[in-house]
Amino acid sequence: MLDLTLPLTKEQRLLLLAGDCVTLSGTVYTARDCAHRRIFEALDADMVPPFPLEGAFIYYAGPCPVPKGKTSGSVGPTTSARMNVFAPRLLSLGLGGMIGKGEMSEEVARALQRFGAVYFAAIGGAGALYGNAVRSSELVAYPDLLAEGVYRLEIEKFPLVVAMDAHGGNIYRK
Amino acid sequence: MRTVDVKQIEEAVFRLARRANFSLTDACRAALKSAKEREDGAARFALETVLENEKIAQREELPVCQDTGMCCVLFTVGREVHFEGDLTAAVNEGVRRAYRDDLRKSICDPLTRLNTGDNTPAHIHIELCAGDRVEICLLPKGFGSENMSKIFMLTPAEGRKGIVESIVGTVRLAGSRPCPPVVVGVGIGGSFDGCAYLAKKALTREIGSRHPRADVASIEEEALEKINALGIGPQGFGGRTTALSVACELAPTHIAGLPVAVNIQCHCVRCAKEVL
C-alpha cells in the first residue's frame, strides 16, 4: 500500500498504475452534478472557479451534515460517470485528477493520458469510513446546494484504488 | 375496527429511518463476509473496506453511506384499520425529523433541482391485507443504483428466457456504476407501473431468500449465476461476486404482455421493518 500526499506532481501521477491500492492525504474539493454546472457557468463567463484548478483533486461526493463534535459527516463517493461531460475540460485546465466510483468514459480516459492526470476509485458505500478520515470540512461555494455545494476537505489516509491511470490503464477493463 | 393514531406512524417512521441508515441488514453483512472469502486483490480490498465501514459507522454514529436516499415506505395495512389523522403527513414528518441533523437531504425538484431541504416527500406505497395489522418497511434508496434500473415490456413469446436476459442485461449495462455487488429486485407481470412496484418490493426480501414457487426460484437462481459469471466484481474491480442476490415478485398480467422491471440496489442494503 502506497501512502500519497497531495499535491501530487505530474511525475508522481505518472508513476501510478491502474490496480494500485493507495492511501491519499491532503486537500480535496467535493463537487457533483449541480456544482459542476455552476463551475462551468463561471468558466464560460470568464470568472474564477471557486478553487484553483491547477493540480487540484475533485472528490465526486456530497457529504452528510457534520454531526455535533465531529469533523465530518459520512462522505463516500458518488457515481463518476455522471461527470463524464465535465471532467475533460477541467483536466485541460490543470486539474490533477478525480476521486469517485465506477468507470468513466473513453473521452475522460484520453484526457487523463493527455494531461498526465489520474482517476482514483474510492469504495462506494463506505461513507462512514471516509467521513472518519476527514480532519476538517469547510464549505467553499454554493451554500444553497446543501450537500451538492463545494466543500474543502482535509483528508487523512483515504483508502483508494488507482482506477484509470495516465497511460490508458483501466481497472474496469482488465 | 382498530383505530391507529397517525402519531404512532410518525414515531415508527422516525425510528425506522434512523435504524436503517446506521446499519446493514444481518443477511447483507453475512453475504458480504462470505463474498470477501471468494475474492482477492482490489475486489477483496473493496469488501474489507465495506465491512470495516459498518463497524466505524456504529462506533462513530455516522450513517453507513452518505447517500441516505429517498425514503421508500411500504405499508401493508389490515382492512380493519382506521387511521386517525393524515397518514401521508405523518410519514413525511417522521422522515423530516429523522433527517434533520445528520442525514443528507437528497430530494429536489426534477427541473429546477432546488432541494426540498428536509428529504421529503417520502415515496409511500400501501397494500391492503386481511386483519388489523400495520406493517411498515422503510428502504432508504440510494440513486447510484436506482439510476441503473430498467423496465422491459416483453412479449409473451419472449417468456422465461427473455426475463433472465433482461435481468442479466441490466446488470451488465450497469457495470461498475451502481456499487456492486448489487442486490437485484425483479418485478414480473402486472402493469407498467405495478411491475416497477413489485421490483421495489422484491428488494425488501431477505438477501438469499428464494421465492416459494419453484419456477420463480429457478429464475432467481439462473439469473444470479449468470450475473456472477459476468466478472464485474465488487466495485467493478473484477471478481466472482457481482450480485449478492436476485429476488423476483410476481403478479398476473395481461394476455398480450410480459412486463419485467429490474430494480438495482447497491450492496449497502439498509432496510428496516416494524409491525404495529
Side-chain angles (χ1 to χ4, degrees):
Chain A
M1 184 90 80
L2 191 62
D3 292 318
L4 303 171
T5 302
L6 294 166
L8 295 176
T9 63
K10 189 167 177 179
E11 289 66 36
Q12 283 176 300
R13 300 195 299 253
L14 290 172
L15 290 175
L16 298 169
L17 298 174
D20 290 350
C21 292
V22 304
T23 73
L24 189 68
S25 304
T27 306
V28 298
Y29 295 90
T30 69
R32 43 181 294 154
D33 314 72
C34 274
H36 274 84
R37 267 163 64 178
R38 296 228 186 142
I39 291 169
F40 270 52
E41 282 165 15
L43 293 172
D44 289 343
D46 284 328
M47 284 154 62
V48 289
F51 56 91
L53 295 174
E54 186 61 42
F57 271 75
I58 289 182
Y59 184 21
Y60 297 139
C64 281
V66 182
K68 278 195 189 78
K70 295 210 181 288
T71 47
S72 174
S74 290
V75 58
T78 195
T79 308
S80 307
R82 294 197 313 275
M83 269 57 78
N84 283 339
V85 290
F86 301 114
R89 181 173 175 189
L90 297 179
L91 289 166
S92 76
L93 295 172
L95 193 74
M98 305 82 70
I99 306 165
K101 73 172 172 81
E103 189 175 10
M104 297 192 75
S105 65
E106 282 295 323
E107 201 189 347
V108 174
R110 281 195 296 272
L112 292 171
Q113 288 181 72
R114 185 162 167 210
F115 302 109
V118 62
Y119 166 53
F120 292 107
I123 308 303
L129 184 141
Y130 289 110
N132 200 43
V134 171
R135 293 295 151 253
S136 72
S137 162
E138 188 192 347
L139 180 70
V140 176
Y142 319 136
D144 58 305
L145 294 182
L146 305 182
E148 285 202 87
V150 172
Y151 293 81
R152 179 171 42 235
L153 306 181
E154 297 299 330
I155 65 173
E156 190 177 324
K157 294 202 168 179
F158 259 33
L160 304 172
V161 176
V162 177
M164 294 165 71
D165 64 33
H167 312 282
N170 181 343
I171 196 173
Y172 306 108
R173 296 289 167 98
K174 276 189 173 173
Chain B
M1 192 64 86
R2 174 188 175 204
T3 298
V4 175
D5 185 343
V6 294
K7 185 73 189 162
Q8 274 180 271
I9 303 294
E10 179 192 320
E11 291 302 325
V13 166
F14 173 81
R15 280 194 299 275
L16 292 170
R18 298 298 302 177
R19 198 197 318 154
N21 273 299
F22 290 85
S23 57
L24 304 175
T25 64
D26 292 342
C28 175
R29 189 183 312 106
L32 288 168
K33 277 184 186 166
S34 96
K36 185 190 74 176
E37 298 308 321
R38 293 192 295 272
E39 302 292 351
D40 50 29
R44 189 181 174 99
F45 171 69
L47 293 173
E48 284 169 352
T49 303
V50 160
L51 287 163
E52 175 66 15
N53 176 68
E54 197 205 6
K55 289 182 193 159
I56 293 174
Q58 298 195 331
R59 189 184 73 214
E60 301 291 330
E61 296 179 44
L62 289 168
V64 175
C65 179
Q66 78 292 334
D67 188 351
T68 49
M70 170 184 273
C71 277
C72 298
V73 187
L74 278 54
F75 281 93
T76 309
V77 178
R79 279 185 286 272
E80 290 162 42
V81 172
H82 164 70
F83 288 113
E84 200 152 84
D86 184 336
L87 181 68
T88 305
V91 170
N92 284 327
E93 188 54 27
V95 170
R96 191 173 289 124
R97 282 174 46 209
Y99 279 72
R100 193 181 56 203
D101 296 327
D102 52 357
L103 300 185
R104 197 178 83 183
K105 277 60 97 176
S106 308
I107 308 302
C108 70
D109 182 279
L111 294 181
T112 66
R113 311 306 295 182
L114 188 69
N115 199 298
T116 63
D118 59 7
N119 218 55
T120 71
H123 175 69
I124 303 170
H125 206 284
I126 300 172
E127 261 187 62
L128 296 176
C129 67
D132 64 0
R133 282 153 54 93
V134 177
E135 278 181 42
I136 313 174
C137 177
L138 188 145
L139 185 74
K141 189 68 177 69
F143 257 53
S145 54
E146 192 79 352
N147 280 339
M148 298 297 120
S149 305
K150 288 196 179 302
I151 190 153
F152 303 85
M153 301 306 281
L154 301 182
T155 62
E158 289 174 282
R160 186 187 188 282
K161 187 162 172 275
I163 294 169
V164 173
E165 279 171 6
S166 300
I167 302 169
V168 178
T170 300
V171 177
R172 183 192 294 117
L173 206 61
S176 57
R177 286 174 287 185
C179 273
V182 294
V183 173
V184 188
V186 183
I188 304 173
S191 57
F192 178 77
D193 55 328
C195 187
Y197 165 67
L198 289 173
K200 177 68 82 275
K201 187 180 167 187
L203 289 178
T204 68
R205 265 179 41 198
E206 189 164 292
I207 288 179
S209 66
R210 288 280 82 96
H211 195 279
R213 252 176 73 171
D215 53 348
V216 184
S218 90
I219 291 176
E220 295 172 344
E221 280 161 14
E222 187 184 334
L224 181 62
E225 201 181 307
K226 288 189 165 158
I227 287 168
N228 285 330
L230 292 173
I232 295 167
Q235 297 292 318
F237 295 161
R240 295 179 181 88
T241 325
T242 300
L244 298 173
S245 185
V246 176
C248 301
E249 289 294 313
L250 241 67
T253 191
H254 190 279
I255 50 173
L258 177 55
V260 176
V262 184
N263 197 184
I264 307 289
Q265 162 73 51
C266 63
H267 62 74
C268 191
V269 181
R270 299 154 292 170
C271 177
K273 297 176 189 180
E274 204 171 297
V275 179
L276 292 181

